[in-house]
């Protein structure tokens, strides 16, 4: 099989980036030459030890060697990193990223593209609470969704190519607008993380005696719900701020629904309580049917 690209450069080989590199190394279908770039020498050294890239560097000029440059840095740094890389990108190459908040990122970067360089951002709906090069694994994207959010006027051929990239990673693809993407992610990703961080903060603010008991005797519900609270604080701070309008709107709806459940419990409304639980179970069953659980 001829690889999709002669060379692929991953900027920021953390959980997502190193998983792409692992998949590419394992299958040989994505790129002949794999490049990992990062500003942290320790990250690059670990990538070399793992053997998941052919070239490791901190020089943004490495973008000149790549047919596709994938930016896998925290959302707050995507634009800055793109501005460093774009002057070096060659005609015919494609810039993509994996930012979990779009906002105005698409139009902003599309407006500064060099001639004959395409921009097709995407967002793989996959991850764990871990980070760094060691956190990645080649099957991370298997049967997950990769949401593509190409800006207006994006090159259709480049869009098809990036769709193919994620398909080769094992993902299913869907094209969305920036606004719809951010509203969906506010519900399925950003709000759950906000709640997980908050419930851990609530536990931490209990009296010393109760706090210690909670941590000692945490049942599966608490453990499962708070797993994602181990995620990177700076990354999630940036996501919350970048998507604050959609996130706060979703949070307001959640607060209203939580208050309705509290009222039902307070008044002993068994029918309302049961109805809400049944609806929750139905959502969970749908996730399982859709192979997203």
């Amino acid at each position: 099989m001829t690889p999709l690209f002669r060379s692929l450069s991953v900027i920021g080989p953390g959980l997502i980036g190193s998983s792409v590199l692992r998949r590419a190394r394992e299958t040989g279908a994505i790129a002949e030459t794999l490049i990992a770039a990062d500003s942290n020498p320790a990250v690059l050294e670990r990538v070399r030890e793992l053997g998941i890239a052919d070239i490791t560097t901190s020089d943004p000029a490495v973008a000149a060697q790549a047919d596709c440059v994938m930016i896998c840095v925290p959302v707050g740094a995507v634009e800055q990193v793109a501005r460093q890389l774009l002057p070096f990108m060659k005609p015919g190459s494609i810039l993509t990223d994996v930012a979990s908040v779009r906002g105005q990122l698409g139009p902003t970067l599309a407006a500064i593209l060099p001639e004959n360089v395409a921009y097709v951002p995407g967002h793989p709906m996959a991850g764990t609470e871990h980070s760094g090069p060691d956190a990645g694994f080649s099957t991370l994207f298997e049967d997950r969704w990769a949401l593509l959010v190409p800006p207006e006027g994006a090159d259709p051929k480049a869009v098809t190519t990036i769709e193919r990239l994620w398909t080769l990673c094992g993902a299913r693809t869907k094209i969305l607008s920036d606004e719809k993407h951010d509203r969906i992610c506010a519900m399925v990703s950003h709000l759950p993380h906000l709640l997980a961080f908050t419930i851990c903060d609530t536990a931490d603010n209990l009296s010393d005696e109760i706090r210690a008991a909670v941590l000692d005797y945490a049942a599966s519900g608490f453990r499962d719900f708070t797993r994602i609270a181990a995620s990177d604080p700076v990354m999630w701070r940036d996501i919350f701020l970048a998507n604050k309008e959609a996130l706060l709107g979703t949070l307001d709806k959640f607060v209203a629904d939580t208050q309705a459940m509290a009222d039902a419990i307070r008044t002993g409304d068994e029918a309302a309580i049961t109805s809400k639980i049944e609806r929750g179970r139905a959502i969970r069953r749908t996730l399982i049917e859709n192979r997203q659980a």
Side-chain angles (χ1 to χ4, degrees):
M1 179 186 296
T2 301
L4 184 63
F5 302 110
R6 288 189 302 275
S7 55
L8 168 69
S9 180
V10 171
I11 314 300
L15 169 64
I16 300 297
S18 71
S19 293
V20 171
L21 289 170
R22 282 176 166 86
R23 183 76 173 203
R25 177 70 87 205
E26 183 177 285
T27 67
I30 295 174
E32 291 178 8
T33 301
L34 300 174
I35 304 167
D38 200 278
S39 60
N40 187 336
V43 169
L44 296 178
E45 177 60 28
R46 187 57 185 146
V47 169
R48 285 191 288 270
E49 291 171 354
L50 292 169
I52 55 176
D54 302 300
I55 298 169
T56 57
T57 182
S58 60
D59 187 356
V62 75
Q65 301 179 38
D67 297 314
C68 179
V69 174
M70 177 184 286
I71 300 176
C72 301
V73 302
V75 62
V78 171
E79 180 180 344
Q80 176 187 353
V81 170
R83 289 181 179 275
Q84 294 172 351
L85 298 169
L86 283 171
F88 299 104
M89 291 187 66
K90 61 186 179 182
S93 62
I94 304 172
L95 175 69
T96 187
D97 65 55
V98 297
S100 63
V101 181
R102 303 315 313 174
Q104 290 300 305
L105 194 55
T108 297
L109 295 188
I112 60 172
L113 290 176
E115 187 174 359
N116 294 326
V117 171
Y119 176 48
V120 185
H123 175 208
M125 300 294 287
T128 72
E129 68 273 27
H130 305 297
S131 58
D134 287 285
F137 51 99
S138 65
T139 57
L140 176 63
F141 313 109
E142 202 70 47
D143 225 10
R144 302 292 95 185
W145 284 101
L147 305 180
L148 273 61
V149 281
E152 186 176 353
D155 179 3
K157 184 178 178 181
V159 174
T160 299
T161 300
I162 298 302
E163 282 187 292
R164 179 64 178 154
L165 186 160
W166 287 113
T167 299
L168 289 170
C169 284
R172 294 178 280 172
T173 62
K174 184 75 172 180
I175 296 176
L176 298 174
S177 67
D178 290 343
E179 188 268 340
K180 187 172 184 180
H181 168 277
D182 288 354
R183 285 194 291 113
I184 290 171
C185 289
M187 181 68 251
V188 303
S189 178
H190 305 165
L191 179 62
H193 278 81
L194 184 152
L195 298 178
F197 289 128
T198 303
I199 196 172
C200 286
D201 187 55
T202 299
D204 194 46
N205 287 326
L206 297 172
S207 67
D208 290 345
E209 180 182 358
I210 298 300
R211 178 186 182 278
V214 166
L215 298 181
D216 283 342
Y217 308 128
S220 59
F222 187 85
R223 292 196 304 270
D224 292 347
F225 189 77
T226 60
R227 175 186 61 80
I228 55 177
S231 301
D232 183 78
V234 173
M235 180 183 78
W236 280 99
R237 176 202 65 194
D238 289 352
I239 289 171
F240 292 161
L241 292 176
N243 201 28
K244 64 181 179 180
E245 290 186 11
L247 175 57
L248 290 174
T250 306
L251 179 61
D252 287 344
K253 179 66 169 65
F254 175 79
V255 170
D257 290 341
T258 302
Q259 186 60 57
M261 177 62 109
D263 291 343
I265 295 171
R266 187 174 294 111
T267 61
D269 188 341
E270 295 180 2
I273 296 169
T274 302
S275 174
K276 289 179 179 296
I277 293 172
E278 287 176 343
R279 290 169 64 190
R281 290 183 70 198
I283 287 289
R284 176 63 182 175
R285 286 170 177 167
T286 301
L287 287 175
I288 294 171
E289 291 167 1
N290 290 344
R291 308 194 304 278
Q292 296 301 299

